[in-house]
Amino acid sequence: MLYIIGLGLSDERDITVKGLEAVKKSERVYLEAYTSILMVPKERLEAFYGRDVIVAHRETVESNSDDILRDADKIDVSLLVVGDPYGATTHSDLVIRAHELNIPVKTIHNASIMNAVGATGLQLYSFGQTISLVFFTDSWRPDSFYDRIKENAAIGLHTLCLLDIKVREQSIENMMRNRPIYEPPRYMSVNLAIEQLLEVEENRKEKAYTEDTIAVGVSRLGSDDQVIKAGTLKQLLDVDFGQPLHSLVLVGSRLHLLEAEVLREYAVDLDGLNLVLKRDYGIDK
């Protein structure tokens, strides 16, 4: 059996009982280590699970999936995924490959940012399409996400923005020379995400959002030191959200009174937030 097991959001204790049982009986255990990160090192997982954990980088999962699937028709193999197993399409590809090899697959789900974002007080059924923001470079500043935000905004829905991480990335020079040298890990902050969003809006000028759009920045959601801060994009621009991982929500115009009440609890500037709620969202105290 191939088990694909969600680890949840924070540390080694977030695994489900069912997931832990599968790990303990697996002969090989892999940790997918590039679509997201856990907030503890793999050694903490090994100590808690009682199994060696093999870190599976992007090339392992995407290009060398046969290494993971080897003998999985005869023994139990587990692939550990931060959050929920199907937060990234990569894992769907692995399932298809396993089925082609007549390997049984069992998925064990867990919490992910896609549902834990409800901790912001925003109602999950009021979210529209989720978008991903990548690091801009001098020559590559993609804005395809903007149309998805605009579509969500047109019907008043919130937009969850997943922020880029760069793990085990090569420079163009090292890639061209086929040198296995990797850049230091980078994790996009809420602050940089807002800078890039406002840059794209300045270029597009279609008002999918403005610097006065209310947003919620979160970091390390699900951990004991999680941070949730609400305000306008301009207000959040200079807020310190601390260590990764960060995410950002753009709040839609169909904001419910109860949602607004929770946002006030997380406001970085309550008076300023109330002003925008009344002026732009039609919500008074």
Side-chain angles (χ1 to χ4, degrees), residues 51 69 83 90 153 248 250 252:
R51 286 289 184 274
L69 298 175
T90 294
L248 179 68
L250 302 179

Side-chain angles (χ1 to χ4, degrees), residues 36-160:
S36 188
I37 60 166
L38 209 59
M39 300 178 200
V40 294
K42 82 177 181 77
E43 288 76 16
R44 286 264 297 269
L45 276 66
E46 291 175 326
F48 190 76
Y49 302 159
R51 286 289 184 274
D52 291 337
V53 174
I54 305 164
V55 175
H57 298 291
R58 181 188 297 271
E59 57 267 30
T60 303
V61 180
E62 293 186 347
S63 303
N64 300 315
S65 61
D66 287 347
D67 290 346
I68 296 174
L69 298 175
R70 176 172 45 86
D71 296 328
D73 56 337
K74 306 179 186 69
I75 62 173
D76 290 329
V77 176
S78 287
L79 175 68
L80 309 180
V81 180
V82 178
D84 186 77
Y86 296 114
T89 55
T90 294
H91 312 123
S92 298
D93 292 341
L94 187 64
V95 171
I96 292 170
R97 176 64 178 147
H99 287 164
E100 290 174 347
L101 297 172
N102 295 316
I103 296 171
V105 177
K106 184 170 185 178
T107 301
I108 301 175
H109 294 280
N110 210 321
S112 76
I113 185 64
M114 303 292 284
N115 54 19
V117 73
T120 60
L122 299 173
Q123 297 165 359
L124 293 179
Y125 51 73
S126 292
F127 278 77
Q129 303 166 90
T130 297
I131 63 108
S132 296
L133 294 174
V134 300
F135 284 106
F136 284 177
T137 69
D138 291 339
S139 59
W140 189 56
R141 309 177 88 77
D143 65 355
S144 57
F145 64 83
Y146 185 90
D147 295 318
R148 307 289 81 76
I149 297 176
K150 187 176 178 182
E151 289 166 1
N152 289 344
I155 52 177
L157 298 180
H158 314 313
T159 301
L160 172 61

Side-chain angles (χ1 to χ4, degrees), residues 262-276:
V262 179
L263 292 184
R264 290 187 178 101
E265 296 294 320
Y266 296 126
V268 296
D269 174 3
L270 182 57
D271 290 339
L273 180 67
N274 281 330
L275 177 65
V276 176

